[in-house]
Amino acid sequence: MGKKVCVLGAGGGIGQPLSLLMKLSPQVTELSCYDIVGTAGVAADLSHIPSNSSVTGHLPSAGTWPPTHDTGLEAALKDAAVVVIPAGVPRKPGMTRDDLFNTNAGIVKTLVEACGDFCPDAVLAIISNPVNSTVPIAAEVLKKKGVYNPKKVLGVTTLDVCRANTFVGNAMGKNPDDVDVTVIGGHAGITILPLFSQVEGFSPSDEELEALTVRTQFGGDEVVKAKAGAGSATLSMAYAGYVFAENVLKAMDGDDSIVQCAYVESTLTDSPYFASPCKFGKDGVEEVLGFGEITAYEQGWLDKMLPDLKKQIQKGVDFANN
Ligand code: NAD
Ligand code: LMR
């Protein structure tokens, strides 16, 4: 069945390549690209690609593409099955994701308010950082509107899984695409916890395990540093966002084999939001799955992350309610 996907922040470093991949997706028949700048050009450009999807560009005011198309967020969001949100500022070297809170919290709040008004049934895939706080903000905004569905408000942590797969695949001399590491917790520094003990056939030394764990936790910083002030991960994130959205769409379409990690409302730990494997279905997350047995080493990291994670969640909840 045809599906409309909307990208909010479609003119940005992630938004443009993500929109390209969504335009190519066999699951998507309608793609709407919204941003505060640039989407007329993005949509006109993408529209020349022969695929099964139409494409429209939207801005808050005049200048949409095609020129006859309705402007604004309402038209971008109306009838969307999935809304992917990479709107907001990225980090520069020396910053934490939490340093983005002051700018991005307000952006996400405003955009999710519009989602609540114009596509209350859509699955929201939130990429904007700090994800640990922006997902709780989105949930609180939708609760106030009486349209919150915990199965449909999802933080995208797929890039952490991509990194863990790549790093461990390379360490094992295997195709990283054949590895699927479970990554739990949140999406910032030590709140990211890859469960390498669950990777079949992988027996690293203590030093190797520590190096791989920390590299996965701080993979974002590696890219921020290499980009030297020009932003953070965009291409790998566009790929990860595409994989995540494509899986959500496949499950909506009846594929009952979709399990992927997502940062969602959760009772697995005493953190109210937590990333873990989730089974997806026609309405988003069908079941938040457990993360299986973990080692004492992993438990140590879990115990260490929870206070930080809970603080970042509360910060988002407080922002949305004040
Ligand atoms: P960018 O600056 O290149 O693009 C952001 C886009 O958002 C811009 O085009 C900007 O105009 C747009 N925007 C700003 N305010 C908006 C609003 N109110 N409505 C609509 N669009 C708006 O940044 P980027 O590199 O694409 O990163 C975007 C966000 O994604 C950052 O917060 C970054 O930290 C985050 N990120 C998350 C992950 C993850 O794994 N979850 C990975 C990489 C980046
Ligand atoms: C990432 O993990 O690459 C993103 O969260 C962007 C960042 O700030 O590191």
Side-chain angles (χ1 to χ4, degrees), residues 11-14 35-36 86-90 104 107 127 129 156 187 233-234 237:
I14 296 167
D35 201 303
I36 50 174
V89 292
N104 290 353
I107 292 174
I127 292 172
N129 271 317
V156 182
H187 177 69
T234 53
M237 183 59 236

Side-chain angles (χ1 to χ4, degrees), residues 91 97 100 129 159-160 163 187 220-221 224 232-233:
R91 281 197 289 167
R97 291 177 184 81
L100 304 173
N129 271 317
L159 183 53
D160 303 318
R163 288 180 176 137
H187 177 69
D221 298 65
V224 168
S232 56

Side-chain angles (χ1 to χ4, degrees), residues 134-210:
T134 52
V135 170
I137 290 172
E140 293 302 308
V141 163
L142 296 174
K143 277 180 203 170
K144 282 194 181 169
K145 290 190 175 285
V147 294
Y148 174 57
N149 180 348
K151 299 171 169 184
K152 294 188 168 187
V153 178
L154 320 175
V156 182
T157 57
T158 315
L159 183 53
D160 303 318
V161 175
C162 289
R163 288 180 176 137
N165 291 346
T166 302
F167 302 157
V168 83
N170 289 340
M172 294 172 81
K174 265 180 94 162
N175 180 349
D177 206 27
D178 294 336
V179 189
D180 187 16
V181 182
T182 292
V183 183
I184 63 171
H187 177 69
I190 65 159
T191 71
I192 299 167
L193 177 54
L195 301 180
F196 289 122
S197 67
Q198 298 179 358
V199 177
E200 222 171 287
F202 184 51
S203 344
S205 65
D206 290 352
E207 293 71 30
E208 194 182 3
L209 177 61
E210 176 85 356

Side-chain angles (χ1 to χ4, degrees), residues 228-312:
S232 56
T234 53
L235 302 174
S236 52
M237 183 59 236
Y239 168 76
Y242 162 75
V243 168
F244 185 84
E246 187 78 350
N247 276 333
V248 172
L249 290 163
K250 279 185 190 163
M252 273 180 179
D253 223 15
D255 184 336
D256 65 2
S257 70
I258 304 294
V259 173
Q260 63 179 344
C261 289
Y263 178 70
V264 292
E265 190 178 307
S266 172
T267 54
L268 292 180
T269 66
D270 67 349
S271 173
Y273 295 85
F274 195 80
S276 71
C278 295
K279 166 98 172 68
F280 280 73
K282 291 198 161 105
D283 290 313
V285 171
E286 207 167 75
E287 192 184 351
V288 176
L289 303 174
F291 47 82
E293 281 194 16
I294 62 175
T295 60
Y297 173 78
E298 290 160 348
Q299 185 67 49
W301 279 114
L302 180 56
D303 294 343
K304 200 166 157 194
M305 85 158 73
L306 285 172
D308 277 10
L309 184 55
K310 287 191 285 186
K311 228 181 348 190
Q312 290 162 27

